[in-house]
């Protein structure tokens, strides 16, 4: 029969819910023999594992003393009916006696010594044994070995925070273990996002994962003393008492972030090393303050993507980036099959997705023990989708989310999932970070995740390669066009998810790496100004230059008067020919005539000199003026590019629709100026106006290289877009603008000939409506700026949504206004059929 022997701990201490453990011998399992033991009113079992026949383990029930003839004694925990042989392998047991342990260690100084001895045992013990799948030899994977070497190389020259990017499923945790042992970290704090992941990671550190089993560490290397921190320490002394006896402390972001400042400072003092797992999670302000305490420590962040869930960079220099392409080539990921559903009616979409997903599950079940995961955006949606899948009576369906208030019930559901007792799981948060279940092979997207970060994370969960399982399938409704631009290609019919995910991942990560390398070129700005978080508007004026060497250090001559006392911070990236100027000037307030009261008006100015193009670009957060003196101060003889050449910027923009047009007309010595705005601005201009008036400024939207863009041009020379981006993206945008400005083949008077002209239709188009959206005048404003009066209550726009109502090729165009999860109004555009 199958026998399982529990692990043996040399340290197993619980205090106030926190747990400190050190493993002495791991759990053992395998085929074995079991026989009854009954002597002098002592009843129990004697068990032997087939691969260790010389060792006899006695299992006793009750309180009877164990006979001296057995060196290895286990005691049942709780009530146990005797004899019940079938219950023995899984029955809870604890060690009462073991030949490897004379006594359990509970004293503080003895546990501290155990921790020191563990670190000493790692001296020269770690070996870089690489796996060889062809020969069947186990070992570390290529990304794991590469990441460990990258950390050692980084720490050899700097203690700055580092980031390791490894796709989900390539072995981040074993990488952490390898760094711990190979670096002989004296004390390591590991921070994770969830309770479940805290327990999982702690178990890995306690057993050292596969390091001993694969021969990466010898058997005589000690296991670390691991502390599971479940509660906030109240005092620095409490931190000392717990941390000093541990090699590794594992806790959550919420626990660490909510501790007092003095407790956090003591944590940083006690932990020279800090590992952050699943670092893409959006941190709270309290977490940011916690990280600041560790600015002098060695920090390594581990993530599948270098962007947080809110799409902001996670910070830290990316020292190792294992691309998804390599993960696929090495066989760590299985290819994804994408099966699209086409349903334009949102009321029918869920059923269409469910039917397609269930059909795929039934097909897979003929060969594999696959599980279907239905992912939704909210708890209310999860409950509705759960009811939908319950209609398939042959399937075992569960839902798991925080709406299930009972923690015990949620844990029971998780156990059912892990034990393979379910077919369909409806969830909101993907079962929690770090949840490892290879059987999850079918993903039904009932609500599309509008973030590349989450999509990449999800893909890694489903694509892990296991020989006994098949290939993953993703199902989504491509009739739902409410996805962000970066995900649109992923949900297109016949899309190759493997190629698109890989390409999207590589592009996203490469842009992050490029930005960090570019930011590293600035060395003199205060550390309190994190350049990777700057988001300047894409706006510039452009000057032709006639110099071989610019002089950015002369900027003050062209920006300030000698009497100015402004605050100024500046720095130059000489390799990227980019200068940042951050300045603040005092401004009076309008409600008091007192010099003692004033405001600080901050301004960001970015200068980018493209030496190859002989162009100087100047960007300002205030967009005030053309900065002629500044341009001359840094580049000498310059010439502003203005009309008509500036209108060359519209070259290559397709489906251009003008939103604002400013026209001026010269009437003798008088100048008349007219401003037109709206989506029909082009249609409202007469032919006479087009030929007799001069373009002063033009703004429109269209598509370039397949992406939607906005662009505005002023005859005076300013070029701008609605978009804000990082400083590297700004320089690249300027370079693309420069190529057009210098192209003499572009006729600035003809670039607007392809402008879309809206026309009035008098009948209903005979096409299928696929989407309804807000008018541009509303969509262009922040969601908090628009409110609706609904049932005598003012409701902000961000709580509302427009959805089509039973779309069809004929009939009225009907749509609903949704408030949260309810329809509050129905509208219809009534048109006769188009002839």
């Amino acid at each position: 029969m199958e026998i399982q022997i529990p692990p043996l701990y040399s340290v197993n201490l619980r205090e106030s819910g926190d747990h400190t453990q050190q493993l002495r011998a791991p759990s053992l399992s395998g085929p074995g023999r079991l026989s009854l033991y009954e002597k002098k009113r002592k009843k129990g079992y004697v068990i032997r594992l087939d691969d260790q026949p010389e060792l006899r383990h006695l299992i006793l029930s009750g309180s009877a003393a164990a006979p001296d003839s057995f060196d290895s004694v286990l005691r049942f925990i709780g009530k146990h009916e005797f004899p019940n042989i079938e219950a023995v392998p899984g029955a809870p047991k604890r060690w009462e006696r073991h030949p490897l342990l004379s006594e359990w260690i509970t004293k503080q100084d003895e546990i501290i010594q155990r921790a020191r001895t563990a670190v000493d045992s790692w001296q020269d013990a770690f070996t870089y044994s690489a796996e060889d799948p062809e020969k069947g030899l186990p070992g570390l994977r290529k990304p794991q070995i590469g990441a460990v070497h990258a950390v050692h190389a980084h720490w050899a020259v700097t203690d700055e925070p580092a980031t390791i990017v490894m796709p989900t499923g390539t072995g981040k945790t074993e990488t952490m273990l390898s760094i711990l042992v190979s670096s002989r970290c004296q004390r390591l704090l590991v921070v994770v996002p969830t309770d479940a992941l805290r327990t999982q990671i702690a178990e890995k550190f306690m057993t050292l994962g596969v390091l001993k089993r694969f021969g990466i560490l010898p058997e005589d290397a000690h296991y670390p003393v691991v502390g599971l921190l479940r509660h906030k320490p109240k005092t620095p002394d409490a931190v000392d008492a717990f941390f000093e006896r541990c090699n590794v402390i594992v806790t959550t972001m919420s626990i660490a972030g909510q501790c007092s400042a003095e407790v956090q400072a003591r944590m940083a003092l006690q932990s020279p090393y800090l590992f952050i797992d699943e670092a893409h999670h959006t941190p709270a302000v309290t977490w940011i303050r916690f990280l600041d305490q560790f600015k002098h420590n060695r920090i390594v962040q581990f993530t599948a993507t270098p962007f947080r869930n809110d799409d902001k960079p996670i910070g830290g220099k990316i020292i190792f980036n294992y691309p998804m392409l390599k993960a696929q080539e090495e066989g760590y990921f299985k290819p994804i099959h994408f099966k699209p559903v086409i349903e334009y009616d949102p009321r029918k979409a869920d059923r269409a997705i469910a039917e397609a997903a269930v059909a795929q599950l039934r097909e897979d079940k003929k060969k594999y023990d696959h599980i279907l995961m239905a992912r939704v955006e909210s708890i209310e949606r999860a409950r509705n989708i759960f009811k939908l899948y319950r209609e398939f009576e042959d399937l075992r369906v569960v839902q798991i989310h925080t709406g299930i208030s009972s923690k015990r019930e949620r844990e029971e559901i998780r156990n059912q999932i892990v034990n393979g007792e379910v077919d369909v799981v409806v969830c909101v948060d993907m079962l929690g970070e770090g949840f490892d279940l290879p059987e999850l092979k079918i993903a039904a997207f009932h609500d599309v995740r509008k973030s590349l970060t989450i999509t990449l994370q999800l893909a890694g969960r489903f694509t892990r390669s296991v020989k006994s399982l098949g290939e993953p399938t993703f199902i989504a409704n491509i009739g739902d066009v409410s996805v962000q631009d970066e995900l649109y290609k992923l949900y297109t019919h016949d899309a190759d998810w493997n190629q698109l995910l890989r390409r999207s991942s590589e592009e996203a990560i490469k842009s992050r790496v490029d930005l960090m390398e570019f930011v590293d070129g600035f060395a003199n700005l205060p550390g309190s100004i994190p350049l990777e978080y700057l988001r300047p508007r894409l706006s510039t004026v452009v000057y032709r230059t006639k110099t071989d060497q610019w002089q950015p250090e002369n900027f003050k001559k062209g920006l300030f008067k000698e009497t100015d006392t402004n605050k100024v911070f500046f720095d130059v990236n000489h390799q990227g020919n980019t200068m940042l100027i951050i300045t603040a000037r005092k401004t009076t307030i309008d409600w008091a005539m007192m010099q003692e009261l004033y405001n600080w008006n901050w301004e960001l100015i970015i200068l980018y000199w493209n030496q190859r193009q002989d162009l100087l670009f100047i960007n300002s957060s205030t967009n005030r003026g053309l900065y002629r003196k500044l341009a001359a101060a840094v580049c000498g003889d310059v010439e502003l590019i203005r009309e008509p050449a500036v209108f060359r910027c519209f070259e290559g923009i397709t489906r251009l629709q003008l939103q604002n047009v400013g026209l001026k007309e010269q009437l003798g010595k008088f100048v008349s100026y007219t401003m037109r705005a709206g989506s029909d601005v082009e249609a409202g201009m007469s032919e006479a106006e087009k030929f007799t008036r001069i373009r002063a400024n033009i703004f429109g939207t269209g598509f370039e290289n397949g992406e939607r863009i906005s662009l505005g041009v002023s005859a005076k020379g300013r070029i701008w877009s609605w978009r804000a981006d990082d400083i590297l993206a700004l320089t690249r945008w300027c370079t693309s603008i420069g190529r057009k400005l210098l192209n003499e083949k572009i006729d600035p008077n003809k670039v607007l000939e392809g402008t879309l002209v809206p026309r009035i239709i008098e009948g209903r188009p005979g096409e299928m409506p696929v989407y309804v959206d807000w008018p541009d005048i509303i969509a262009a404003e922040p969601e908090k700026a628009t409110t609706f009066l609904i049932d005598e209550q003012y409701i902000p726009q961000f709580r509302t949504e427009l959805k089509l109502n039973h779309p069809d090729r004929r009939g009225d165009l009907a749509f609903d206004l949704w408030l949260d999860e309810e329809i509050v109004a129905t509208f219809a555009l009534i048109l006769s059929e188009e002839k």
Side-chain angles (χ1 to χ4, degrees):
M1 66 185 302
E2 190 73 14
I3 302 293
Q4 181 175 357
I5 297 177
L8 172 69
Y9 296 97
S10 54
V11 177
N12 195 357
L13 185 64
R14 291 182 182 271
E15 290 182 343
S16 303
D18 299 324
H19 203 174
T20 306
Q21 291 180 296
Q22 184 186 35
L23 193 64
R24 182 64 180 87
S27 62
L28 300 175
S29 61
R33 292 173 293 166
L34 181 147
S35 58
L36 291 173
Y37 175 84
E38 188 171 4
K39 189 174 183 181
K40 296 182 179 180
R41 298 183 180 180
K42 295 182 177 67
K43 297 180 179 180
Y45 306 99
V46 177
I47 58 177
R48 289 186 175 92
L49 291 174
D50 289 350
D51 59 352
Q52 294 180 332
E54 72 283 359
L55 293 179
R56 295 188 310 152
H57 305 280
L58 175 63
I59 303 179
L60 288 178
S61 62
S63 58
D68 296 334
S69 56
F70 287 90
D71 293 329
S72 177
V73 179
L74 282 161
R75 182 79 64 175
F76 280 121
I77 299 174
K79 295 181 179 180
H80 179 73
E81 295 182 8
F82 182 88
N84 183 1
I85 295 177
E86 296 299 325
V88 170
K93 300 169 283 289
R94 62 173 173 80
W95 287 107
E96 187 170 294
R97 186 187 303 164
H98 196 282
L100 294 179
L101 193 66
S102 58
E103 63 179 4
W104 277 263
I105 299 170
T106 58
K107 294 181 179 179
Q108 179 79 355
D109 57 344
E110 293 176 344
I111 300 177
I112 292 174
Q113 185 57 45
R114 292 289 303 181
R116 292 171 180 167
T117 303
V119 176
D120 292 341
S121 74
W122 301 338
Q123 179 73 46
D124 301 324
F126 184 83
T127 58
Y128 291 89
S129 300
E131 69 171 353
D132 189 338
E134 294 183 0
K135 295 181 180 180
L137 298 177
L140 292 174
R141 294 173 171 179
K142 289 182 179 179
Q144 295 169 331
I145 292 178
V148 175
H149 281 305
V151 170
H152 290 315
H154 180 73
W155 284 347
V157 296
T158 181
D159 289 338
E160 293 181 0
T163 297
I164 292 177
V165 181
M166 296 172 64
T168 303
T170 53
K172 292 198 301 291
T173 307
E174 252 69 25
T175 302
M176 294 184 197
L177 302 178
S178 299
I179 296 170
L180 166 73
V181 177
S182 62
S183 300
R184 298 178 63 240
C185 299
Q186 296 297 317
R187 188 169 298 117
L188 166 66
L189 175 61
V190 183
V191 181
V192 300
T194 65
D195 293 344
L197 192 55
R198 173 177 55 193
T199 302
Q200 180 180 319
I201 292 292
E203 182 67 24
K204 278 277 192 177
F205 273 96
M206 213 174 305
T207 61
L208 290 176
V210 299
L211 298 190
K212 286 194 175 185
R213 180 152 47 97
F214 287 178
I216 299 163
L217 275 179
E219 283 299 323
D220 59 356
H222 289 208
Y223 294 98
V225 180
V226 178
L228 199 62
L229 187 64
R230 291 192 173 97
H231 300 88
K232 294 180 291 184
K234 294 181 179 180
T235 64
D237 289 342
V239 174
D240 291 341
F242 189 78
F243 278 50
E244 284 178 352
R245 64 183 181 225
C246 299
N247 299 116
V248 180
I249 302 96
V250 186
T251 191
T252 61
M253 294 178 180
S254 60
I255 292 293
Q258 293 175 18
C259 290
S260 66
E262 60 178 357
V263 165
Q264 291 177 349
R266 188 60 61 90
M267 287 181 173
L269 182 65
Q270 286 284 1
S271 307
Y273 299 87
L274 172 65
F275 287 177
I276 303 170
D277 193 24
E278 307 289 357
H280 57 274
H281 279 263
T282 304
V285 175
T286 53
W287 169 246
I288 298 295
R289 287 200 294 264
F290 171 79
L291 276 184
D292 190 56
Q293 299 281 1
F294 284 77
K295 58 187 176 183
H296 300 300
N297 299 38
R298 287 181 168 179
I299 301 175
V300 183
Q301 301 181 123
F302 297 84
T303 181
T305 168
F307 295 94
R308 300 191 329 222
N309 286 349
D310 57 2
D311 291 330
K312 294 180 180 179
I314 63 174
K317 181 179 181 180
I318 297 177
I319 63 171
F320 183 76
N321 170 29
Y322 193 73
M324 190 175 289
L325 170 61
K326 291 292 293 181
Q328 289 178 329
E329 290 177 348
E330 296 294 334
Y332 304 135
F333 283 177
K334 287 193 174 183
I336 302 169
H337 300 281
F338 177 51
K339 292 196 172 181
V341 171
I342 305 176
E343 178 53 68
Y344 296 110
D345 188 344
R347 301 186 184 208
K348 300 178 183 178
D350 286 330
R351 183 167 295 278
I353 295 171
E355 290 175 350
V358 169
Q360 183 65 45
L361 177 65
R362 288 171 174 161
E363 182 65 27
D364 287 7
K365 284 287 190 182
K366 296 177 182 179
K367 297 181 180 179
Y368 310 108
D369 293 328
H370 286 181
I371 296 176
L372 187 162
M373 187 191 79
R375 215 214 66 78
V376 296
E377 289 282 357
S378 65
I379 294 174
E380 185 63 30
R381 287 276 290 146
R383 290 168 176 156
N384 293 334
I385 298 302
F386 172 69
K387 294 177 183 177
L388 175 59
Y389 279 94
R390 286 289 296 272
E391 295 179 14
F392 300 95
E393 297 180 356
D394 61 316
L395 300 178
R396 299 166 295 178
V397 184
V398 296
Q399 59 176 326
I400 182 168
H401 46 71
T402 55
I404 301 173
S405 57
S406 171
K407 185 176 180 180
R408 180 176 179 181
E409 183 180 355
R410 291 200 304 270
E411 193 60 33
E412 289 177 355
I413 295 173
R414 286 175 65 91
N415 291 335
Q416 287 180 326
I417 297 170
V418 172
N419 295 331
E421 299 171 2
V422 304
D423 301 305
V424 180
V425 182
V426 180
C427 67
V428 177
D429 60 356
M430 291 168 40
L431 307 178
E433 293 293 341
F435 189 87
D436 191 4
L437 186 65
E439 288 79 8
L440 283 174
K441 281 291 180 283
I442 303 173
F445 292 82
H446 285 269
D447 295 318
V448 173
R449 269 285 188 173
K450 302 177 184 179
S451 167
L452 181 60
T453 301
I454 302 299
T455 302
L456 294 175
Q457 191 76 5
L458 179 66
R461 298 283 182 87
F462 283 77
T463 56
R464 298 183 185 186
S465 182
V466 179
K467 292 183 179 180
S468 60
L469 299 172
E471 296 174 345
T473 302
F474 284 9
I475 298 167
N477 177 27
I478 63 173
D480 177 9
V481 296
S482 59
V483 296
Q484 291 183 359
D485 292 341
E486 69 267 25
L487 285 184
Y488 177 74
K489 291 180 291 184
L490 297 178
Y491 298 95
T492 303
H493 185 57
D494 290 335
D496 184 345
W497 274 64
N498 306 285
Q499 186 180 41
L500 289 172
L501 277 173
R502 184 183 71 225
R503 186 180 303 157
S504 299
S505 170
E506 290 170 356
E507 290 175 355
I509 295 174
K510 184 178 184 302
S511 67
R512 171 65 179 159
V513 174
D514 291 346
L515 174 61
M516 295 306 297
E517 291 178 351
F518 185 75
V519 166
D520 287 343
F522 298 93
N524 297 321
L525 282 175
S528 58
I529 304 177
L531 300 187
E532 63 268 30
Y533 291 101
L534 296 183
R535 287 295 181 269
R537 288 282 178 182
L538 300 189
S539 173
T540 187
V541 290
V542 189
Y543 287 87
R544 296 181 188 270
T545 65
K546 303 174 184 178
T547 182
D548 295 330
Q549 189 70 39
W550 73 324
Q551 304 293 329
E553 64 275 7
N554 293 336
F555 77 95
K556 290 185 179 181
K557 296 179 181 179
L559 198 58
F560 305 119
K561 299 177 182 178
E562 293 184 3
T563 56
D564 285 344
T565 58
N566 298 3
K567 291 184 177 180
V568 180
F569 304 97
F570 64 93
D571 200 356
V572 180
N573 181 329
H574 292 283
Q575 186 174 0
N577 283 338
T578 304
M579 182 177 194
L580 299 180
I581 305 170
I582 300 175
T583 179
R585 57 190 178 90
K586 293 180 180 179
T587 58
T588 59
I589 57 177
D590 57 6
W591 46 267
M593 297 181 64
M594 299 173 60
Q595 293 183 351
E596 291 80 7
L597 295 178
Y598 54 85
N599 289 324
W600 282 106
N601 186 14
W602 291 90
E603 181 181 5
L604 169 67
I605 301 174
I606 302 174
L607 285 74
Y608 167 55
W609 181 51
N610 190 310
Q611 187 175 12
R612 181 174 298 179
Q613 294 179 339
D614 282 328
L615 295 177
L616 174 68
F617 302 85
I618 302 179
N619 168 279
S620 169
S621 58
T622 62
N623 288 331
R624 59 181 179 89
L626 300 175
Y627 295 94
R628 295 178 187 271
K629 291 183 178 180
L630 177 60
V634 299
C635 286
D637 188 8
V638 295
E639 177 190 355
L640 176 66
I641 297 180
R642 47 176 301 158
E643 54 134 352
V646 73
F647 290 103
R648 289 175 179 159
C649 295
F650 285 104
E651 172 69 16
I653 300 179
T654 59
R655 298 187 61 79
L656 177 63
Q657 187 170 2
L658 301 184
Q659 305 289 326
N660 296 289
V661 176
L663 301 172
K664 62 181 180 180
E665 183 177 13
Q666 189 78 30
L667 301 173
K669 65 177 181 179
F670 299 103
V671 177
S672 173
Y673 182 85
T674 303
M675 182 71 178
R676 295 183 179 274
S679 59
D680 60 346
V681 62
E682 182 81 1
M685 295 170 56
S686 67
E687 292 300 316
E689 287 178 313
K690 294 179 183 179
F691 285 102
T692 62
R693 299 194 176 186
I694 302 171
R695 294 168 296 186
N697 60 275
I698 295 176
F699 182 85
T701 60
F703 292 85
E704 188 172 27
N705 299 323
E707 296 183 359
R708 188 174 183 86
I709 68 165
S710 62
L711 185 68
V713 174
S714 166
K716 293 181 178 180
R718 182 163 296 282
I719 305 162
W720 72 93
S721 174
W722 272 344
R723 189 163 61 97
D725 216 321
D726 58 64
I727 52 178
L728 177 60
L730 171 66
T731 63
R732 290 173 172 173
W733 178 77
C734 289
T735 298
S736 66
I737 291 294
R739 283 194 292 266
K740 295 181 182 182
L741 294 176
L742 297 176
N743 189 347
E744 299 289 344
K745 296 180 180 179
I746 301 175
D747 186 344
N749 296 312
K750 293 184 177 181
V751 292
L752 298 176
E753 289 183 350
T755 302
L756 290 180
V757 180
R759 61 184 178 86
I760 299 175
I761 61 173
E762 298 179 352
R764 161 76 153 85
E767 303 294 338
M768 171 65 76
V770 297
Y771 190 60
V772 57
D773 203 357
W774 301 103
D776 288 345
I777 191 173
I778 294 180
E781 295 293 327
E783 289 187 326
K784 293 183 178 180
T786 304
T787 57
F788 301 100
L789 182 61
I790 301 175
D791 293 335
E792 299 183 353
Q793 290 187 347
Y794 286 96
I795 306 298
Q797 182 198 349
F798 64 81
R799 290 185 56 192
T800 65
E801 185 178 3
L802 296 178
K803 294 183 181 181
L804 290 173
N805 184 333
H806 295 89
D808 201 348
R809 294 181 182 274
R810 304 175 65 85
D812 299 335
L813 296 171
F815 59 95
D816 300 322
L817 176 65
W818 288 67
L819 172 59
D820 298 331
E821 299 292 333
E822 296 182 3
I823 299 174
V824 294
T826 298
F827 305 90
L829 180 62
I830 303 174
L831 296 171
S832 60
E833 297 298 323
E834 186 177 47
K835 299 179 180 179

